[in-house]
Amino acid sequence: MPASPAIQVLTANRLRDGDVVYWRNGAWVEAFTDAEVFAEKFAADTALAAAQKFVTDRIVVNPYLFGVRVDGGQVRAIEEREIIRSEGPSVRRDLGKQAREAFDVSI
Amino acid sequence: MYRYDEFDAQFVRERVEQFRYQVERRLSGELTEDEFKPLRLMNGLYLQLHAYMLRVAIPYGTLSARQLRMLAHIARKYDKGYGHFTTRTNIQYNWIKLVDVPEILADLASVEMHCIQTSGNCIRNVTADQFAGATDEEIEDPRPLAEIIRQWSSLHPEFVFLARKFKIAVGATEKDRAALLFHDLAVQIVKNAEGRVGYKVYAGGGMGRTPYLAQIMSEFVEREDILAYLEAVLRVYNQDSRRDNIHKQRIKILVNAIGVEEMRRRVQREFDEIKSNGTLQLPQQELDRIAAYFAPPAFEDLSDGEPSSLDPTFKDWYRQSISKHGQPGYAIATISLKPIGGVPGDANDHQLDAIADLMEEFGISEIRVSHEQNLVLPHVRKKDLAAVYKKLKALKLATPNAGLVTDIIACPGLDYCDLANARSIPVAQDIAKRFADLDRQHKIGELKIKISGCINACGHHHAGHIGILGVDKKGVEYYQLQLGGSGAEDASIGDVMGPGFTARDIGPAVERVIDTYLQLREDGERFLDTYRRIGMEPFKNMAYLEQTYAAH
Amino acid sequence: MPLIKNGAFVEDSFVTVADDVELPTNGAIVSLARFQKDRDTLLARNAPLGIQLKSAESPETLGQDVHRLSLIVLEFPVFRDGRAFSWARMLRERLRFTGEIRGTGHFLYDQISYMRRVGFDAWDVADGFSLEQFERALHEMTNVYQPSADGQKTIRDLRAQRTS
């Protein structure tokens, strides 16, 4: 069951290599598990606005917010697309972020 | 195959430098992403879910061993050791970094390859029959014309900012192995009543949200006039296509909006002017000059006996993979890139290098990519087939399923693609595993399953005997079934069955559909034939059988 | 807005005039709509006349009137809208317009060489755009595969020259 859309994470792709990154306290991290989780819309929108500077500075492209839910203490993306972006292709578990460290794969 | 002269070589080198400068300007901020995007797309560079994806052009699906080795090298050096062959006979890499692309393009240029116009709103890769130059069914090899069209369309100043993408295919056989009628523009090489060779031109085909089959623009265009005629079609398209609604900007929309008669009239008017202008006439001399590049290799005088092998599995591979060659003693061998449970169309760098080795060892001068995401060795000596098979088998490239139900076309889907609504590869894998038994596959016979992860239809689902379209319903992946499509000369657009199936249910639904065929078919009927005879109803009833009783 | 013509920055001797504004005494650029409404008056003026066409407006509508015009401005509302490439060729090749074809609006550095090939000979450029950049844009690709309105020799021509 989808959680309230008010719980969000901010993401983008890095310009130089296209890697998926997540916002955390004014900077970008590579692991979804390290991402800042916004429980309030205001904080999320503020972060999105702050992220525009990284677009202008040619660090990232297309930052946007997406919905997550909290499942027994773990933060999970709601949409399949964001789950896949955070892990890597479901058909090549040996590639992408999921292969970078011990990882709980959700699908 | 075509060989670059100094002009072609200079062209791709300068194109690399042009792109290098575009990347510089992007990184410096002089170009915004919005401005950079169409420029990088015209060099085949997408930003996908995990990284950039780079699509390398393989003109009319033809590659040399040297080029194959470069593709392997790129996979190794710049990517994660593999590439994916597409339904437009290109190859794409999924883990590319923007900053590496100028070097990749330079590497490609060194072996006469490029990524020019493999994406973007421009004329794309020109495709042709993967058996061209080897089959005895063709009037002539379609690739010289495809090469001429490729050159004419490369950085064509008038047509670099079209309303949408524009796909061209060339055919020369009655059997259509290139899905001509699903193209924006198709040229069929034909002979007229006097036995003169010319071109039948179609326009207005396309997949996507609103699929259409192409319609005849001209029954017979003279050889010398073909470029003028194509330019006329493109000009009418560029001038008259809508620019206000991205879903209505392909030429198929224009042709169907104004009607084929009006389209022909507008094209004819432009054509008459372009022809009389004279600069685009195609002299026979030029055609002959290009055709000379595609002269067949020096064939040996060999016996045409059927090959054999001590390996009992050779027979099954031979049965599906071998097609008749025009030269006695030779065969056309299809390399299936659809191992059961594997990713359709993928090949790793080791395999690509090994295929290049194999080509050199057995004197096979070129290799082809088919739009069904398989590879083809066009000229194999029959006496070498057993040995070739052995090598392919060791490389896991000898799945004996070419043309069978597990020879599935699937786009990368939501596992890779930014545009996708649902995953397609796991569905292909699930279906392939269900039908892995070879005897069952033989019993089913020819059945083309095609899977797309979104409405853009890169998996050609509209042309599938069984087509599957992934959709997103409230965040959950659903799969719609279509039946009765065909990308062959009996072209048809599949009929949508009804509500979609979940990822768990689509495999069983497909099994029930195929079982229905097996129960109801008459002598010699393929699935497609049975469907065309009895219609959707029996299949639909069986497909949804579990839904009738299951509680969701 | 800086204007480049014949490889140099030039003064614009035309003024773009809105539909409801009185015409100046010298060079004026009017919309197609205004031209269609006041054609005779406009052509009777003893001063150069230009027409600015939107991307959806085909020069076909002007017909032989193009020969009474000094200038036709083709708009790029957004760089992705490539209709002007065909309009420029139509002006040069079908209508045999010999006046100035000026590009205005949102076009990219990367489109300049294509514009020249199809018949543009003047560009409204952004402030700060240099002639060096302009020249560079024109020369990124030395050779071309297909003939166009500019008459540049194609690679096929060069190949034939080389062997003859």
Side-chain angles (χ1 to χ4, degrees):
Chain A
M1 167 147 12
S4 157
I7 306 179
Q8 295 179 302
V9 165
L10 175 58
T11 187
N13 287 77
R14 215 155 35 199
L15 173 63
R16 296 178 71 90
D17 63 3
D19 199 4
V20 174
V21 290
Y22 301 95
W23 180 271
R24 180 199 177 89
N25 293 338
W28 299 97
V29 298
E30 290 179 1
F32 173 73
T33 45
D34 295 336
E36 186 171 346
V37 178
F38 302 104
E40 295 176 329
K41 187 175 184 314
F42 178 75
D45 290 343
T46 305
L48 180 59
Q52 298 309 315
K53 180 173 189 308
F54 289 85
V55 173
T56 320
D57 288 349
R58 288 98 58 207
I59 308 296
V60 301
V61 294
N62 190 31
Y64 63 92
L65 294 160
F66 66 94
V68 297
R69 59 168 192 242
V70 182
D71 239 348
Q74 275 222 305
V75 181
R76 288 215 183 308
I78 295 171
E79 282 188 7
E80 211 74 80
R81 178 199 149 88
E82 293 309 328
I83 295 172
I84 291 170
R85 278 179 86 247
S86 71
E87 295 178 351
S90 71
V91 293
R92 289 294 303 265
R93 293 295 186 195
D94 59 320
L95 299 177
K97 294 179 188 295
Q98 60 204 343
R100 286 181 200 175
E101 59 204 71
F103 213 90
D104 271 334
V105 166
S106 54
I107 37 170
Chain B
M1 55 184 281
Y2 188 69
R3 297 249 178 275
Y4 281 13
D5 62 13
E6 70 271 30
F7 297 109
D8 302 305
Q10 180 185 29
F11 191 87
V12 291
R13 277 198 314 268
E14 289 182 341
R15 177 65 167 190
V16 174
E17 293 316 305
Q18 185 187 65
F19 184 68
R20 199 189 295 278
Y21 187 48
Q22 287 168 345
V23 174
E24 265 175 46
R25 287 156 58 221
R26 175 69 187 101
L27 294 176
S28 74
E30 191 185 318
L31 282 172
T32 65
E33 185 62 20
D34 196 49
E35 294 167 336
F36 181 62
K37 188 171 173 185
L39 302 176
R40 63 165 162 80
L41 287 175
M42 284 195 279
N43 280 295
L45 189 62
Y46 286 82
L47 182 51
Q48 293 287 53
L49 290 184
H50 311 294
Y52 288 91
M53 180 271 277
L54 183 65
R55 183 179 295 148
V56 177
I58 302 178
Y60 36 85
T62 300
L63 287 165
S64 65
R66 181 170 170 246
Q67 292 173 329
L68 206 56
R69 290 194 198 291
M70 178 55 76
L71 296 180
H73 166 77
I74 288 169
R76 246 188 322 271
K77 181 171 178 190
Y78 301 103
D79 202 271
K80 293 187 190 289
Y82 69 106
H84 172 74
F85 290 98
T86 75
T87 52
R88 297 228 69 243
T89 76
N90 293 317
I91 187 172
Q92 49 197 48
Y93 298 99
N94 300 301
W95 301 92
I96 297 297
K97 300 177 164 62
L98 172 63
V99 293
D100 286 343
V101 177
E103 278 322 295
I104 298 172
L105 297 184
D107 283 355
L108 287 168
S110 75
V111 294
E112 304 181 14
M113 295 187 81
H114 60 77
C115 299
I116 298 171
Q117 295 172 206
T118 53
S119 184
N121 294 335
C122 52
I123 301 171
R124 304 284 192 90
N125 189 30
V126 182
T127 54
D129 177 8
Q130 66 272 19
F131 292 175
T135 174
D136 59 359
E137 297 167 357
E138 61 190 18
I139 290 180
E140 62 182 35
D141 192 325
R143 296 173 302 154
L145 179 64
E147 173 59 27
I148 287 168
I149 295 173
R150 184 188 76 82
Q151 294 187 18
W152 160 80
S153 65
S154 296
L155 308 196
H156 192 306
E158 192 179 348
F159 306 135
V160 209
F161 288 85
L162 298 172
R164 259 321 239 134
K165 60 179 115 171
F166 201 95
K167 301 178 179 179
I168 303 179
V170 183
T173 54
E174 271 181 37
K175 280 205 205 125
D176 184 358
R177 283 181 283 265
L180 256 53
L181 291 185
F182 281 96
H183 281 75
D184 298 272
L185 199 155
V187 179
Q188 176 78 11
I189 301 174
V190 294
K191 270 193 187 152
N192 69 1
E194 291 112 59
R196 197 162 71 250
V197 175
Y199 309 112
K200 185 168 179 176
V201 180
Y202 299 82
M207 303 258 191
R209 190 172 301 255
T210 43
Y212 283 102
L213 297 180
Q215 300 187 63
I216 300 171
M217 286 293 115
S218 172
E219 290 284 351
F220 195 85
V221 175
E222 299 285 349
R223 277 203 193 284
E224 65 204 355
D225 292 338
I226 188 62
L227 288 180
Y229 197 84
L230 298 184
E231 180 132 319
V233 174
L234 263 301
R235 179 166 296 162
V236 171
Y237 173 58
N238 191 47
Q239 291 177 356
D240 298 346
S241 158
R242 291 172 67 160
R243 302 267 177 165
D244 61 315
N245 178 345
I246 195 174
H247 303 304
K248 308 223 164 172
Q249 296 183 184
R250 296 283 291 274
I251 194 174
K252 62 187 177 178
I253 305 295
L254 177 64
V255 172
N256 286 281
I258 67 177
V260 69
E261 283 306 324
E262 175 61 16
M263 186 71 192
R264 284 192 201 129
R265 195 194 62 78
R266 294 186 194 185
V267 169
Q268 188 66 38
R269 184 208 178 179
E270 297 295 335
F271 167 68
D272 289 338
E273 282 181 22
I274 297 168
K275 179 178 160 73
S276 66
N277 173 293
T279 54
L280 258 187
Q281 291 307 97
L282 182 61
Q284 186 63 42
Q285 189 188 14
E286 175 67 4
L287 256 164
D288 292 342
R289 189 184 73 80
I290 299 285
Y293 285 103
F294 295 89
F299 291 125
E300 297 163 43
D301 210 353
L302 298 172
S303 102
D304 207 28
E306 288 318 297
S308 64
S309 168
L310 293 175
D311 185 338
T313 65
F314 174 75
K315 189 169 48 59
D316 285 328
W317 177 81
Y318 183 89
R319 169 192 169 142
Q320 292 307 131
S321 312
I322 299 311
S323 306
K324 186 167 181 298
H325 197 289
Q327 175 76 19
Y330 283 78
I332 303 171
T334 294
I335 298 175
S336 166
L337 295 182
K338 321 291 179 66
I340 307 297
V343 177
D346 279 13
N348 65 45
D349 64 296
H350 171 67
Q351 288 172 320
L352 296 177
D353 272 330
I355 295 171
D357 290 340
L358 186 157
M359 288 168 67
E360 283 162 1
E361 181 182 345
F362 294 98
I364 305 166
S365 55
E366 53 189 78
I367 188 165
R368 313 288 176 76
V369 184
S370 80
H371 84 277
E372 295 184 320
Q373 302 173 306
N374 288 323
L375 301 177
V376 173
L377 296 169
H379 314 298
V380 186
R381 291 182 289 243
K382 280 188 173 177
K383 62 181 179 158
D384 291 334
L385 279 173
V388 167
Y389 170 66
K390 189 170 171 193
K391 300 248 164 163
L392 290 175
K393 198 169 144 186
L395 294 167
K396 299 202 191 353
L397 290 171
T399 315
N401 64 353
L404 295 176
V405 69
T406 61
D407 182 6
I408 298 170
I409 290 182
C411 72
L414 190 57
D415 279 304
Y416 288 100
C417 184
D418 185 53
L419 302 172
N421 289 127
R423 284 172 296 158
S424 49
I425 300 169
V427 175
Q429 292 171 327
D430 176 41
I431 293 172
K433 285 183 201 155
R434 288 172 186 275
F435 290 95
D437 180 82
L438 198 53
D439 287 332
R440 190 174 178 207
Q441 291 191 62
H442 287 158
K443 191 156 164 245
I444 294 167
E446 179 189 304
L447 206 171
K448 295 183 188 275
I449 299 182
K450 307 193 184 191
I451 308 174
S452 303
C454 81
I455 198 64
N456 285 300
C458 300
H460 285 197
H461 64 282
H462 293 301
H465 301 170
I466 295 177
I468 300 173
L469 170 65
V471 299
D472 175 326
K473 211 162 86 174
K474 294 187 185 158
V476 181
E477 292 167 304
Y478 270 80
Y479 298 93
Q480 278 182 3
L481 273 175
Q482 286 179 209
L483 302 184
S486 173
E489 63 281 2
D490 60 350
S492 58
I493 297 166
D495 303 311
V496 178
M497 179 185 281
F501 298 85
T502 63
R504 189 200 62 185
D505 291 338
I506 183 64
V510 169
E511 285 205 85
R512 287 194 294 276
V513 164
I514 295 178
D515 284 340
T516 306
Y517 154 65
L518 290 173
Q519 282 163 38
L520 298 178
R521 71 176 170 183
E522 288 177 359
D523 272 349
E525 279 183 342
R526 305 166 300 164
F527 173 90
L528 185 59
D529 303 317
T530 303
Y531 174 78
R532 284 173 171 167
R533 177 172 56 82
I534 69 178
M536 178 64 80
E537 208 58 25
F539 296 100
K540 184 171 176 174
N541 291 337
M542 280 308 293
Y544 289 114
L545 200 59
E546 272 189 22
Q547 261 76 334
T548 314
Y549 298 105
H552 277 272
Chain C
M1 191 175 297
L3 178 65
I4 293 180
K5 186 170 173 164
N6 297 325
F9 283 110
V10 298
E11 280 302 310
D12 189 355
S13 56
F14 285 81
V15 169
T16 306
V17 187
D19 286 356
D20 52 356
V21 170
E22 213 179 284
L23 295 165
T25 46
N26 50 8
I29 301 168
V30 300
S31 71
L32 177 65
R34 182 168 190 172
F35 180 77
Q36 288 172 324
K37 187 156 147 288
D38 297 329
R39 177 186 174 274
D40 295 339
T41 319
L42 289 165
L43 291 177
R45 270 169 91 240
N46 198 6
L49 182 63
I51 295 182
Q52 178 151 330
L53 297 177
K54 297 200 211 310
S55 61
E57 295 172 336
S58 164
E60 184 99 73
T61 4
L62 297 171
Q64 290 308 300
D65 279 349
V66 298
H67 300 297
R68 324 258 315 256
L69 303 171
S70 306
L71 162 67
I72 294 176
V73 183
L74 299 179
E75 260 179 50
F76 284 82
V78 66
F79 65 88
R80 279 183 292 272
D81 186 339
R83 285 178 283 191
F85 294 103
S86 285
W87 301 148
R89 280 195 85 174
M90 179 192 283
L91 282 166
R92 293 297 185 213
E93 294 177 330
R94 171 180 297 158
L95 299 171
R96 305 207 187 282
F97 176 66
T98 54
E100 176 182 323
I101 298 180
R102 182 187 301 185
T104 200
H106 188 217
F107 57 86
L108 300 176
Y109 157 93
D110 313 82
Q111 292 172 299
I112 287 172
S113 67
Y114 300 129
M115 291 166 77
R116 187 192 59 76
R117 292 216 65 212
V118 295
F120 285 84
D121 56 358
W123 287 261
D124 274 337
V125 296
D127 286 321
F129 186 77
S130 73
L131 282 179
E132 285 73 33
Q133 284 171 290
F134 181 77
E135 286 303 315
R136 183 178 181 156
L138 292 184
H139 296 108
E140 282 182 338
M141 303 297 295
T142 304
N143 292 315
V144 297
Y145 279 112
Q146 62 289 104
S148 188
D150 62 343
Q152 179 176 354
K153 284 201 173 130
T154 66
I155 287 174
R156 199 206 293 176
D157 297 328
L158 298 174
R159 283 170 178 154
Q161 263 178 245
R162 182 191 52 187
T163 54
S164 64

